[in-house]
Amino acid sequence: MDIKQQDAQYHFKTYKRYPVTLTKGYGSRVWDDKGKEYVDALAGIAVNNVGHCHPKVVEAIQVQASELMHVSNFFTTKPQVDLARELINLSNHDRVFFANSGTEAVEGAIKIARRFAEKKGKKGPMITMNGAFHGRSMGALALGQKKYQEGFGEMLSGVVQVPFNDLKAVEEYANDDLVAVFIEPVQGEGGIHVADKDYMNELRALCYEYDALLIFDEIQCGIARSGNFFAYELFDVVPDIVTLAKGLGGGFPIGAIIATEKVADVIEYGKHGTTFGGNPLACAAGLATLKVIEEENLAREAEEKGKWLRERIQAEMTIEPGIEEVRGVGLMNGVQLNFPGSNVAMRMLEKGVIANVTASNVVRLVPALNITYEELEIVAEAVVESITEERKEQAKS
């Protein structure tokens, strides 16, 4: 059996795989087992912010793997302390908790919110947004889109979902019992929708007024992808809690929760924990990633290159009627189509560019922050050509 047949035989049938097997990557390029080269505009779904196999991240992992990989959180380790200090110095927060993934960070944030509510005597809801995606574990599922909840029974209680960017919908639940507002500053799976700045400031004021928590899920839009290290900086607000993952480890699995002292204090000894979270190997990868982002000024690179990419594709809208809108911030961008777009990603793959389609008709472009302009031009050409081809093909049927 070839590798695809073995995958089909042994793995859960949970993924609709692309018809290629990748074997290596460097920067914004990857290669398959037949030697074909691709420009990667998906970056492991907004994970490889510093590109594939960045030499400094690889070296940090190799060195740490030869010294100490895992000891549990019964012990203090220097990589964890160093990464915690770096994140707090970069943020407007006071404490960090490390996890292994984004969904674990969200689960931790839910626990903190419920513990906060218990201490405050609050009985009201946690508010989330239509189109949200916060992960696939049961608590995270309860915060997200209904289509991901189907078939898994009763969801976590005390969650209310309202339209994104609609303050009046939030205000309907605004009282002293309100527990928290969960929001992605930029919705990823929901189709690359950016929150309005006024809306975010009004949410901050509302949460202050009712002593509720404002929780930002920056798992996809954080770690410099938005053009700022934290996406909350775009809105001139400071949330009580921020969840992080994806780009934090430079391709190595790690998640984190950062919070203000007041909020972190509700989780006393023994109320939360993790076996693998914050292990020395993951933290060494994370610390190296943050150093690369700083040294290469990748937040600014993301802002400038993202603007260039949006304008480059927008310029094609006059001659390509299939493009309805190009939107995003930094290097988190979506090209919304006016027809079902799932086949567009396959056409791009054939042209040697990796992307995906989310929300049924939005081509998601989330490449490494150090992608070159030459590679971005290849991406833009492939996007537009693939949209044109697919639109014409669908018009025939």
Side-chain angles (χ1 to χ4, degrees):
M1 291 190 293
D2 67 19
I3 191 166
K4 294 188 184 304
Q5 291 172 322
Q6 292 181 62
D7 178 58
Q9 178 171 339
Y10 299 121
H11 199 280
F12 272 48
K13 300 175 183 179
T14 52
Y15 301 116
K16 187 176 181 180
R17 310 276 199 191
Y18 285 15
V20 298
T21 298
L22 298 180
T23 59
K24 67 176 181 177
Y26 188 81
S28 288
R29 306 278 179 147
V30 292
W31 290 263
D32 68 17
D33 58 355
K34 295 179 175 59
K36 182 176 178 178
E37 180 178 329
Y38 303 82
V39 175
D40 186 2
L42 189 58
I45 317 179
V47 167
N48 300 310
N49 286 15
V50 298
H52 292 276
C53 300
H54 193 288
K56 292 185 177 179
V57 177
V58 170
E59 180 183 14
I61 292 171
Q62 290 174 333
V63 170
Q64 188 61 50
S66 70
E67 294 178 351
L68 190 67
M69 288 192 284
H70 174 74
V71 293
S72 89
N73 282 297
F74 286 142
F75 302 93
T76 304
T77 63
K78 189 174 186 301
Q80 187 182 107
V81 172
D82 288 346
L83 182 57
R85 183 184 61 250
E86 188 68 16
L87 283 173
I88 295 308
N89 287 343
L90 286 165
S91 75
N92 298 88
H93 298 81
D94 305 297
R95 299 277 177 181
V96 61
F97 180 90
F98 290 111
N100 300 291
S101 66
T103 199
E104 282 189 31
V106 169
E107 291 288 343
I110 292 171
K111 281 184 71 175
I112 294 169
R114 288 175 74 106
R115 182 66 175 160
F116 176 84
E118 177 74 18
K119 284 181 168 287
K120 296 282 185 177
K122 290 174 173 282
K123 305 296 183 183
M126 296 184 290
I127 295 176
T128 68
M129 307 299 155
N130 290 349
F133 183 87
H134 296 285
R136 293 183 183 268
S137 52
M138 290 302 291
L141 273 182
L143 305 181
Q145 299 171 51
K146 300 297 182 185
K147 67 180 181 180
Y148 295 114
Q149 300 173 3
E150 294 173 0
F152 293 100
E154 187 175 347
M155 290 288 112
L156 181 73
S157 63
V159 177
V160 172
Q161 199 159 92
V162 302
F164 188 66
N165 271 333
D166 186 342
L167 185 69
K168 289 184 177 180
V170 178
E171 289 176 335
E172 290 184 21
Y173 300 92
N175 57 53
D176 290 333
D177 264 346
L178 177 64
V179 174
V181 176
F182 278 80
I183 186 169
E184 298 161 275
V186 186
Q187 289 189 334
E189 289 293 322
I192 316 296
H193 295 284
V194 184
D196 294 334
K197 186 172 182 177
D198 288 346
Y199 169 71
M200 295 294 252
N201 278 268
E202 289 162 343
L203 279 184
R204 177 67 279 181
L206 183 148
C207 288
Y208 276 142
E209 181 177 356
Y210 295 105
D211 197 20
L213 300 181
L214 181 59
I215 303 173
F216 279 14
D217 180 338
E218 295 203 13
I219 290 163
Q220 188 165 156
C221 64
I223 317 297
R225 181 160 294 280
S226 71
N228 290 276
F229 187 82
F230 293 104
Y232 69 72
E233 297 172 86
L234 293 169
F235 309 98
D236 295 325
V237 301
V238 178
D240 300 291
I241 297 173
V242 181
T243 58
L244 302 166
K246 287 190 180 285
L248 180 56
F252 200 94
I254 187 171
I257 306 164
I258 58 173
T260 61
E261 190 77 53
K262 181 186 81 169
V263 174
D265 277 350
V266 306
I267 298 294
E268 307 99 331
Y269 169 77
K271 290 297 183 183
H272 195 48
T274 172
T275 297
F276 290 107
N279 67 76
L281 193 55
C283 288
L287 190 63
T289 299
L290 298 192
K291 288 180 179 178
V292 170
I293 289 171
E294 179 183 9
E295 290 169 359
E296 299 185 12
N297 206 356
L298 293 187
R300 187 183 69 185
E301 290 284 300
E303 180 182 17
E304 294 176 353
K305 289 173 179 174
K307 181 175 183 291
W308 182 92
L309 181 61
R310 288 189 296 277
E311 291 176 350
R312 170 68 177 81
I313 299 173
Q314 285 166 348
E316 301 288 340
M317 292 176 69
T318 55
I319 57 175
E320 177 41 66
I323 301 175
E324 188 169 299
E325 184 182 9
V326 182
R327 58 177 177 261
V329 291
L331 277 172
M332 185 172 179
N333 295 289
V335 182
Q336 183 166 329
L337 313 177
N338 55 23
F339 59 88
S342 60
N343 286 339
V344 171
M346 290 299 102
R347 291 183 182 275
M348 291 178 66
L349 191 70
E350 292 170 2
K351 298 176 188 299
V353 174
I354 296 174
N356 85 318
V357 173
T358 188
S360 78
N361 67 340
V362 179
V363 181
R364 175 167 47 180
L365 303 173
V366 285
L369 310 187
N370 50 10
I371 189 171
T372 67
Y373 283 101
E374 178 186 10
E375 290 165 335
L376 283 175
E377 177 61 32
I378 293 170
V379 171
E381 289 178 0
V383 170
V384 175
E385 289 174 6
S386 298
I387 290 170
T388 300
E389 291 169 6
E390 183 60 23
R391 175 182 55 79
K392 289 179 177 179
E393 184 65 27
Q394 291 190 23
K396 295 178 184 178
S397 56

